Amino acid sequence: MAIDIGTIPARRAKKFPLYRTASGFVRDPLRQLEQMSEIADGRLVRLDLGASRPFLATHPDDVQQVLRRESGNFVRDGLFWRTMRELMGDSILAEGAEWEHSKKVLQPVFTTRNVNRLSGLMAEAINHAVDGLEEPASIGATIDVLPEMSWIVNESVIKVLFGDKISNDQANVLVPAFDQVATKITYRFLLPFVPRAVPLPGDRAYREAVETMDRMLFDLVDRYRDDPGEGNDIFTALCHARMADDSDLDDRWVRDNLLAMFATSTETTTLALTWLWPLLHDHPHVAERLQEEIRSVVGTERVHTGHLDDLHYVKQVVQELLRLYPVGWMFPRMATKDTSLRGVPIKAGSPVLISPYLTHRLKSVWEDPTRFDPDRFLPERTRDHHRYAYFPFGGGPHQCIGRHVFNVEAQLILTSILSRFRPRLLEAVPAEPRIGATLRPRSPIQMTLTRVRRTA
Ligand code: HEM
């Protein structure tokens, strides 16, 4: 059960001087943040990162104020967005008029009606991709979970969300280049105040990967801009758009949004699904309940969207997965004018960090927060949750537009795999992720699959 943590004003932020935290930040930044968040227990934290002193807001009331009630004041700007802005320009991941225009163009792809329309295609693409696991299963070969999940997700996203305009050969260039970008961006994301003139690990590989991606993306824009055909997908929507000032389509804007959508739709889903398997390994009773539900609902069929309404436990498992591993673990904001958060003054220009990972692990918000327990999401147990006790998809005007896509996609992938195979992890995996722009496992997760004997 979620706990009522009260709304008593904190008045002063909890401070942690750098000399006490520096070695922890160097050793394990996520663990260091988690410890500080545990000690502050919902109070606003003033971090001391040397060159920058952002606030960290974990209390659901503060989160609600920043993301929703005062969203016009707390914007995506400042040092912490610099790296994103350099990479994705004025796309849907920006702020202000540019964000609004991109959102207006892309939103129709993500309406419930359109997602339902695309879901059938997604189920087909997923089942087809999961067919690829038959061979390693038949010879008992070990599979590396992250690249396997990435392949299944990319197959469905590229075929369905990008209207099948990216060929297999192009995807084979784009996907690894994007993977390089996502991993090599880590230092720049965590240390945004370090000047560009000072080299950081990964800089060169990052730049090369961006160049490779750009060659491919601009080629694609050039090929489809004037003749995108008809379709309900991201690529077609972008090519049919005009610019905010009604001028002709700008190639750079299409490229920025293609990249933003590729980043948000693939990396997040892949990583969330990667964390699933160690959790099931550590909680065999959850795995058994899942398998039983899937057996009784799906039987010997190939999973389709018609099954999803009856897969209640599958849905709860996915919700709980994102409570423990909300892969968009941190999203910064900057105050544009003086304000306060539960009595603590916040000056214009101050960065405020919001982290579902930390809020979801507060003892005063969730009972026994590190325990994996999908029954927390039984409908009768979620009724009295604070609206911002659980926010893996953010909230307010920037709330994730892909959340329905993710839910459908993750439930289909999980069900498709478990309806056909029994997974076995080679060894237990440490539950602590390694942070960058998203939450990645520290070491490769490997498993074998055994074919399930299915009876009607
Ligand atoms: C595990 C899956 C996912 C998680 C945890 C996640 C998380 C988030 C979060 C936290 C935000 C808010 C960022 C902010 O407030 O600054 C966000 C925004 C966004 N997400 Fe997701 N996301 C997921 C999957 C997806 C998918 C599958 C798509 C697309 C198909 C997508 C597209 C977007 C877009 C376009 C935005 C920006 C929305 C805006 O600013 O208007 N996400 N996501």
Side-chain angles (χ1 to χ4, degrees):
M1 196 184 76
I3 298 163
D4 177 10
I5 85 169
T7 54
I8 304 160
R11 304 218 187 281
R12 286 192 13 221
K14 177 92 186 125
K15 290 185 181 153
F16 293 90
L18 187 59
Y19 71 87
R20 277 179 44 206
T21 57
S23 62
F25 268 124
V26 172
R27 228 182 6 255
D28 187 345
L30 186 59
R31 185 70 207 123
Q32 180 60 43
L33 282 172
E34 213 177 328
Q35 273 168 2
M36 294 192 296
S37 166
E38 267 165 31
I39 294 169
D41 195 21
R43 274 178 69 182
L44 204 65
V45 173
R46 189 80 198 255
L47 295 174
D48 184 353
L49 303 177
S52 169
R53 299 186 65 225
F55 289 98
L56 171 68
T58 55
H59 191 293
D61 281 350
D62 290 340
V63 175
Q64 185 163 27
Q65 182 177 339
V66 171
L67 293 185
R68 194 182 166 86
R69 284 207 312 276
E70 234 185 287
S71 58
N73 182 20
F74 289 104
V75 297
R76 284 167 164 175
D77 202 351
L79 215 48
F80 285 90
W81 281 93
R82 185 169 149 188
T83 311
M84 285 294 171
R85 188 66 46 85
E86 280 170 4
L87 182 61
M88 310 205 197
D90 291 331
S91 67
I92 188 155
L93 288 180
E95 187 59 272
E98 291 81 11
W99 160 72
E100 224 169 298
H101 179 60
S102 299
K103 179 146 174 174
K104 206 167 106 200
V105 170
L106 289 163
Q107 184 76 59
V109 179
F110 294 92
T111 57
T112 313
R113 188 146 165 256
N114 199 45
V115 173
N116 288 344
R117 202 160 31 194
L118 296 178
S119 302
L121 293 174
M122 204 176 274
E124 262 174 49
I126 287 168
N127 281 323
H128 184 66
V130 172
D131 287 343
L133 297 176
E134 293 283 352
E135 196 193 323
S138 69
I139 56 172
T142 301
I143 62 165
D144 214 337
V145 174
L146 200 152
E148 249 0 285
M149 293 301 121
S150 165
W151 187 71
I152 297 171
V153 168
N154 283 323
E155 277 288 294
S156 66
V157 164
I158 289 172
K159 292 226 159 64
V160 181
L161 289 185
F162 288 86
D164 217 1
K165 288 185 171 64
I166 304 175
S167 70
N168 285 346
D169 284 349
Q170 289 166 323
N172 287 339
V173 176
L174 202 53
V175 171
F178 179 72
D179 199 53
Q180 281 284 311
V181 170
T183 47
K184 303 298 177 197
I185 203 173
T186 300
Y187 282 93
R188 290 283 167 205
F189 179 78
L190 295 176
L191 305 169
F193 35 82
V194 175
R196 293 298 182 263
V198 177
L200 285 177
D203 273 359
R204 191 156 154 216
Y206 171 81
R207 268 196 311 276
E208 284 170 6
V210 171
E211 278 165 25
T212 307
M213 255 179 4
D214 274 355
R215 270 195 300 277
M216 186 59 65
L217 288 172
F218 281 117
D219 268 5
L220 281 163
V221 175
D222 199 41
R223 162 133 169 57
Y224 286 108
R225 186 193 44 218
D226 299 325
D227 186 15
E230 294 302 318
N232 305 307
D233 59 275
I234 292 168
F235 207 157
T236 310
L238 289 171
C239 291
H240 278 296
R242 298 199 44 90
M243 301 308 291
D245 60 5
D246 207 33
S247 58
D248 285 347
L249 205 55
D250 174 19
D251 287 0
R252 183 90 211 168
W253 178 84
V254 181
R255 171 268 182 211
D256 288 348
N257 271 300
L258 276 179
L259 179 52
M261 291 312 305
F262 193 72
T264 50
S265 61
T266 54
E267 164 93 352
T268 47
T269 310
T270 298
L271 289 176
L273 284 167
T274 299
W275 284 111
L276 175 72
W277 309 102
L279 285 174
L280 293 184
H281 173 87
D282 291 342
H283 301 84
H285 59 289
V286 174
E288 270 164 39
R289 244 176 97 182
L290 258 185
Q291 284 153 5
E292 180 45 33
E293 181 180 81
I294 292 169
R295 194 197 57 72
S296 74
V297 173
V298 180
T300 56
E301 294 175 4
R302 280 165 92 79
V303 67
H304 55 75
T305 48
H307 290 129
L308 295 183
D309 280 349
D310 295 319
L311 291 166
H312 305 287
Y313 196 59
V314 168
K315 187 169 166 219
Q316 284 171 227
V317 166
V318 171
Q319 286 172 306
E320 176 69 344
L321 173 68
L322 285 191
R323 189 185 65 79
L324 281 178
Y325 298 100
V327 285
W329 72 282
M330 168 83 83
F331 30 99
R333 293 291 190 264
M334 190 191 80
T336 52
K337 49 182 199 273
D338 289 358
T339 182
S340 64
L341 286 171
R342 283 183 312 130
V344 180
I346 309 285
K347 289 234 165 305
S350 303
V352 178
L353 307 178
I354 298 289
S355 168
Y357 183 87
L358 297 175
T359 300
H360 294 176
R361 284 163 188 253
L362 280 182
K363 287 197 182 73
S364 47
V365 175
W366 290 92
E367 205 172 278
D368 202 358
T370 53
R371 190 160 57 90
F372 178 62
D373 174 15
D375 279 339
R376 292 177 201 274
F377 288 94
L378 279 167
E380 62 272 24
R381 286 179 62 184
T382 52
R383 247 170 248 139
D384 49 345
H385 280 175
H386 188 297
R387 164 67 190 84
Y388 283 82
Y390 178 71
F391 60 102
F393 298 113
H398 287 301
Q399 189 177 34
C400 177
I401 59 171
R403 60 196 186 282
H404 301 310
V405 171
F406 168 79
N407 283 329
V408 170
E409 194 183 3
Q411 290 173 40
L412 286 171
I413 293 176
L414 182 168
T415 305
S416 181
I417 295 177
L418 284 183
S419 67
R420 295 156 69 170
F421 307 103
R422 289 289 163 269
R424 200 168 66 81
L425 233 61
L426 258 51
E427 55 184 326
V429 172
E432 288 91 33
R434 182 167 56 86
I435 51 170
T438 48
L439 295 175
R440 290 185 159 240
R442 280 166 195 261
S443 43
I445 301 175
Q446 296 188 312
M447 67 182 184
T448 54
L449 298 170
T450 319
R451 193 88 181 74
V452 178
R453 218 187 290 271
R454 301 202 292 174
T455 47

